Amino acid sequence: MKILSFRFWIPVTLLAASVALAILWPAVGRTNAVLAQSTESSAGGATDAWLVTRGLIGHGMIGENSGSDIMMPPPGAEVDETRQTENRTGEILTQAKSWNEIVGDNTIHIEVTTLSTSQFEVAFWLLPNHRQGCTMYQWTLYDHGRALQSAFWRNDAPVLRLAGAADLPHDLYPDSVPWMVFLRVLDSPRSGAEGALHQQITPYSYVGQDVSAKGLEEISVPAGSFTALKVTAQVDIATVMPNWPRFVLHVIKPVVPKNVFYFQATPPYRLLKQEGTTFVGGPEVTTELIRFYIVGAPPVAASPAVAAAQAPVAVFGGSSIPR
């Protein structure tokens, strides 16, 4: 996220804000957490047991001989494949496969991202179907099949609250989120809809993003041509610098960069395209949907419209986005 346009006249304080925004901006896997040796999760119950059995937490995530196929989607799941490219050079930065699995009253969103020939990431988000926020998140980075780093996060309000700190929102997300969350936080997937994304960046604080749907556009990506809902997200400066005078924040807000997303305007609301940056000072990138398919289904030559009509709509655990 580039902020050169206003760095010069508020350099010292904005540097601190830049660090906060760098932690915030949604690029999966940016963490300095060292891989924990314990294989136990701090979660509990049937969902925790399912996550262990599925290999998303526990021994399955820290094996010494893990490959990029460490996590495979189940039969019947729709897999969306995206590619992220640096705009200036055209270099392919990442390629990702993502899908959803329904467990009880939750949707598990899983992403396997290839970074290079030897490095890849596996991440999951546990998302309640009937309310906002994220319940659990884990990310692991692998190199040559060996786990290098890992981060685990759980939304537990009583535990997360620290003495002397402000209460964190209940609809909290971790510092790293999948693109689909920017549609999920809207009050509905329609033009004119608005919402807010709250991401925890320290044990004491969170940063908000204002998210809004701007209208419909016709766009083309490698996966086909679609009618897309354009969604923009912009950091809420007031949550980054809560003690600053409001008139200063009002001046700063217009120059705070935005991320732009294009989601399919009809169920299952696939991410079609993203434009912007993924961290402070990072390059401008474009993420595009390159293909989607149903695991185990025979390949068929169908138009995007036909494929969309046949695909499952349980992207967020139901036929519509939770309010």
Side-chain angles (χ1 to χ4, degrees):
M1 180 177 177
K2 298 180 180 177
I3 52 174
L4 294 176
S5 57
F6 59 96
R7 176 180 292 173
F8 297 107
W9 48 278
I10 47 174
V12 177
T13 306
L14 190 57
L15 178 61
S18 300
V19 174
L21 297 182
I23 298 173
L24 160 73
W25 216 244
V28 174
R30 285 176 293 96
T31 178
N32 293 321
V34 177
L35 179 67
Q37 295 302 313
S38 172
T39 59
E40 298 300 321
S41 164
S42 61
T47 300
D48 183 50
W50 184 91
L51 291 168
V52 172
T53 302
R54 187 69 175 87
L56 285 167
I57 56 177
H59 289 283
M61 291 300 294
I62 61 173
E64 290 296 315
N65 297 301
S66 301
S68 58
D69 59 350
I70 181 176
M71 185 59 52
M72 300 297 291
E78 176 182 308
V79 177
D80 294 344
E81 295 188 5
T82 57
R83 178 175 59 215
Q84 188 174 95
T85 306
E86 183 179 350
N87 294 351
R88 184 178 60 85
T89 64
E91 177 186 2
I92 297 175
L93 302 178
T94 65
Q95 296 195 78
K97 295 181 179 181
S98 64
W99 66 92
N100 298 299
E101 300 184 30
I102 307 302
V103 180
D105 197 31
N106 302 286
T107 294
I108 314 293
H109 180 77
I110 302 171
E111 292 189 358
V112 179
T113 304
T114 301
L115 306 176
S116 67
T117 56
S118 63
Q119 291 190 333
F120 65 95
E121 303 168 338
V122 177
F124 79 87
W125 292 260
L126 177 62
L127 304 169
N129 288 339
H130 301 295
R131 62 177 177 84
Q132 284 293 346
C134 179
T135 303
M136 192 188 307
Y137 158 71
Q138 180 162 299
W139 162 87
T140 305
L141 171 66
Y142 297 86
D143 180 73
H144 289 93
R146 182 169 61 92
L148 293 181
Q149 292 181 315
S150 183
F152 180 84
W153 176 93
R154 186 183 181 193
N155 185 358
D156 191 328
V159 175
L160 291 177
R161 190 184 188 286
L162 298 179
D167 290 339
L168 296 170
H170 289 287
D171 57 345
L172 197 62
Y173 290 86
D175 60 356
S176 178
V177 294
W179 303 125
M180 61 177 281
V181 165
F182 289 90
L183 184 66
R184 189 175 190 264
V185 298
L186 296 177
D187 52 23
S188 64
R190 57 173 177 80
S191 180
E194 296 181 343
L197 173 62
H198 302 130
Q199 293 176 262
Q200 186 179 15
I201 58 172
T202 75
Y204 296 91
S205 62
Y206 71 96
V207 168
Q209 293 195 58
D210 296 323
V211 184
S212 58
K214 300 299 184 181
L216 301 179
E217 295 186 16
E218 299 296 324
I219 71 167
S220 294
V221 293
S225 297
F226 303 84
T227 299
L229 180 66
K230 181 179 180 181
V231 175
T232 64
Q234 184 181 41
V235 171
D236 179 3
I237 291 296
T239 62
V240 180
M241 298 173 283
N243 297 323
W244 276 42
R246 292 203 171 272
F247 77 90
V248 176
L249 301 180
H250 181 73
V251 173
I252 295 174
K253 184 175 181 178
V255 294
V256 176
K258 297 179 180 179
N259 250 313
V260 179
F261 308 91
Y262 296 90
F263 292 95
Q264 188 174 348
T266 56
Y269 306 110
R270 304 177 181 96
L271 172 72
L272 304 174
K273 189 175 184 179
Q274 170 269 333
E275 296 175 323
T277 61
T278 55
F279 57 92
V280 174
E284 296 284 337
V285 300
T286 298
T287 305
E288 292 183 302
L289 181 67
I290 55 178
R291 73 169 183 145
F292 55 89
Y293 58 91
I294 305 298
V295 178
V300 293
S303 67
V306 173
Q310 295 175 342
V313 297
V315 172
F316 301 114
S319 60
S320 62
I321 299 174
R323 303 296 197 278

